[in-house]
């Protein structure tokens, strides 16, 4: 009897062990099985060990269609640009990405791309398109027009390049340096013959214009910033002045759209024999029909009434005529063969700017008087400015470059040292004019769009127009 009891105990232990083995070796499907005592239970447990786990077949991911690197496909980081435009659209003209070929090597002389061509407004101008005399006069100016188109194509390429890398987190001084270096490369900088028209403006938020970082300024672009990028290109003194606004937060879209539409309205209204005040009235009507909601509060979009568009002359960015962006003002008419920068500024602030912050922009007065200078350092600096910039605008960063602003003119020996006292002396004597940043009230946001237009005898050409804006 004792032996039988011991055998029973052994059997029980074996069954329990076998049951544990079965649970460990069970399939992942958690199927319940009944186990019986004796040989049948042992056989089922043994067979379960032989079962193998089923491996799920991984679905193969479909590979994305390969991108044709020779076709435009990159989008800008900023908002409110034409949704159908690409930052690398210059590939279609044979340019590389990033751009490295001078624009003059991509087009034959006289064949640079035309801007947007439209008829002059007013019924008295209808004869211009077909009039033989006006067409002959237009052909006489073809050499000048081609230089302006050349500069415009450089500007379009450089700004497309800028749109590809301007995003939150970039240092403004690095951004400006990259834009200006590309500008010099594509236009093939050659002193006063070809180069940058004026320093790259990157005014942020309540600062509306005339701000570019000085050396040591480590300002970084943020997601909630509204930045105006304004730079120019010149060939033989023919300056193309064009600007747009960069923002990343969609809450600023109404502000940008208001200013963009107002600029387009100003361009459409402008023309030969149109009064400057009429352009301002049309701009204001469109601009102030918009409003923008920021953080639960609604702000009307206002024109900055003391900022204007302007006529452009050879080596003269402000040639005398101002194009207002509010009603009233100058009744002077636009004339044939003139060149204008039509620009509008909108703001959520008071609509009036004042000079503030540290100055970075300077320019020699176009009609500067001859003043005998006593300081040798002032004489030296003025000589450098005359041969490097002439009457074109410049900034302090350029004076501190190894080439002093132009490698063609100065080589690597153009850097100006301890020049601030000399620069102040030139400003005090009326030879150099400082242009400090122009600011609305703090906490407000400003936006800008700008294009350059030619008043050709037969038509109006928006030379800086691109597929981006």
């Amino acid at each position: 009897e004792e032996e039988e009891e011991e055998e029973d105990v052994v059997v029980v232990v074996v069954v329990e062990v076998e049951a544990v083995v079965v649970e460990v070796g069970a399939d992942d499907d958690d199927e319940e099985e009944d186990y019986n005592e004796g040989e049948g239970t042992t056989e089922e447990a043994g067979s379960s060990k032989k079962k193998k786990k089923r491996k799920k077949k991984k679905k193969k991911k479909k590979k994305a269609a390969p991108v044709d690197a020779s076709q435009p496909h990159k989008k800008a980081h900023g908002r409110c640009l034409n949704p159908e435009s690409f930052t690398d659209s210059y590939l279609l003209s044979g340019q590389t990405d990033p751009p490295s070929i001078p624009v003059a090597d991509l087009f034959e002389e006289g064949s640079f791309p035309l801007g947007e061509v439209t008829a002059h407004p007013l019924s008295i101008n209808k004869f211009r398109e077909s009039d033989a005399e006006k067409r002959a006069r237009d052909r006489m100016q073809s050499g000048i027009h081609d230089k302006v188109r050349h500069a415009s194509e450089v500007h379009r390429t450089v700004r497309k390049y800028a749109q590809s890398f301007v995003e939150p987190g970039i240092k403004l001084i690095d951004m400006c340096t990259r834009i200006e270096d590309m500008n010099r490369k594509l236009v093939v900088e050659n002193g006063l013959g070809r180069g940058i028209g004026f320093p790259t403006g990157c005014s942020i938020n309540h600062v509306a214009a005339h701000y570019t970082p000085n050396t040591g300024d480590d300002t970084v672009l943020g997601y909630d910033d509204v930045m105006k990028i304004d730079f120019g290109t010149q060939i033989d003194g023919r300056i193309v002045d064009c600007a747009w606004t960069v923002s990343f937060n969609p809450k600023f879209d109404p502000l940008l759209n208001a200013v963009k539409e107002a600029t387009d309205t100003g361009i459409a209204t402008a023309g030969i024999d149109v009064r400057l005040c009429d352009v301002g009235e049309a701009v204001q009507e469109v601009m102030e029909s918009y409003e923008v909601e920021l953080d639960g509060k609604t702000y009307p979009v206002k024109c900055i009434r003391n900022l204007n568009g302007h006529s452009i002359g050879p080596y003269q960015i402000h040639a005398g005529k101002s194009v207002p962006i509010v009603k009233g003002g100058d009744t002077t008419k636009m004339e044939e063969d003139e060149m204008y920068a039509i620009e509008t500024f909108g703001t959520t602030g008071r609509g009036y700017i004042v000079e503030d912050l540290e100055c970075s922009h300077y320019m020699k007065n176009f009609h500067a008087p001859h003043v005998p200078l006593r300081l040798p350092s002032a004489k030296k600096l003025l000589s450098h400015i005359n041969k490097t910039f002439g009457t074109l605008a410049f900034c302090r960063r350029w004076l501190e470059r190894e080439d002093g602003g132009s490698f063609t003119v100065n080589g690597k020996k153009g850097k100006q040292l301890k020049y601030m006292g000399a620069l102040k002396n030139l400003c005090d004597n009326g030879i150099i004019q400082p242009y400090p940043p122009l600011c609305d009230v703090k906490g407000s946001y400003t936006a800008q769009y700008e294009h350059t237009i030619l008043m050709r005898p037969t038509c109006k050409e928006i030379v800086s127009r691109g597929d981006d804006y």
Side-chain angles (χ1 to χ4, degrees), residues 265-279:
T265 300
I267 292 170
T269 307
I272 295 173
D273 290 330
V274 173
R275 298 184 187 277
L276 298 174
C277 58
D278 294 340
V279 178

Side-chain angles (χ1 to χ4, degrees), residues 119-169:
H120 288 289
L122 304 181
S123 57
I124 58 174
N125 288 319
K126 289 183 178 179
F127 76 98
R128 291 182 173 276
E129 295 182 26
S130 57
D131 186 77
E133 183 180 346
K134 297 299 179 185
R135 293 170 68 180
R137 186 178 178 84
D138 195 31
R139 288 193 294 272
M140 289 174 63
Q141 302 292 328
S142 61
I144 295 174
H145 298 165
D146 198 52
K147 291 175 182 178
V148 176
R149 291 174 191 142
H150 181 182
S152 298
E153 184 62 22
V154 172
H155 194 287
R156 273 189 292 270
T157 305
V158 174
R159 76 184 188 228
K160 286 293 190 73
Y161 169 68
Q163 289 162 10
S164 70
F165 67 80
V166 174
E167 58 183 332

Side-chain angles (χ1 to χ4, degrees), residues 27 92 194 218 256 309 336 355 366 368 380 389 422:
D27 290 338
L92 298 176
R194 290 188 304 272
D218 292 329
L256 271 63
E336 194 174 286
E355 294 180 349
F366 196 77
K380 179 183 175 183
F389 309 115

Side-chain angles (χ1 to χ4, degrees), residues 233-254:
T233 306
Q234 68 88 15
I235 294 177
D236 288 339
R238 306 294 172 173
I239 308 168
V240 170
D241 185 359
C242 190
W244 80 100
T245 299
V246 176
S247 74
F248 309 100
N249 194 326
K251 70 180 182 180
F252 297 114
D253 287 0

Side-chain angles (χ1 to χ4, degrees), residues 288-309:
E288 299 187 353
S289 66
Y290 281 80
E291 57 185 25
V292 54
E293 184 177 342
L294 301 175
D295 302 324
K297 186 176 180 180
T298 301
Y299 298 86
V301 178
K302 299 176 184 176
C303 295
I304 301 180
R305 59 184 181 274
N306 58 335
L307 282 177
N308 308 297

Side-chain angles (χ1 to χ4, degrees), residues 70-72 87-97 99-108 111-113 153-154 156-158 160 186 467:
S70 64
Q71 294 298 315
T87 61
D88 54 350
S89 61
Y90 42 71
L91 291 171
L92 298 176
S93 63
Q95 185 60 266
T96 60
D97 186 31
S100 61
I101 305 172
V103 169
D105 293 346
L106 300 174
F107 301 92
E108 295 181 2
S111 65
F112 292 100
E153 184 62 22
V154 172
R156 273 189 292 270
T157 305
V158 174
K160 286 293 190 73
L186 298 188
D467 63 356

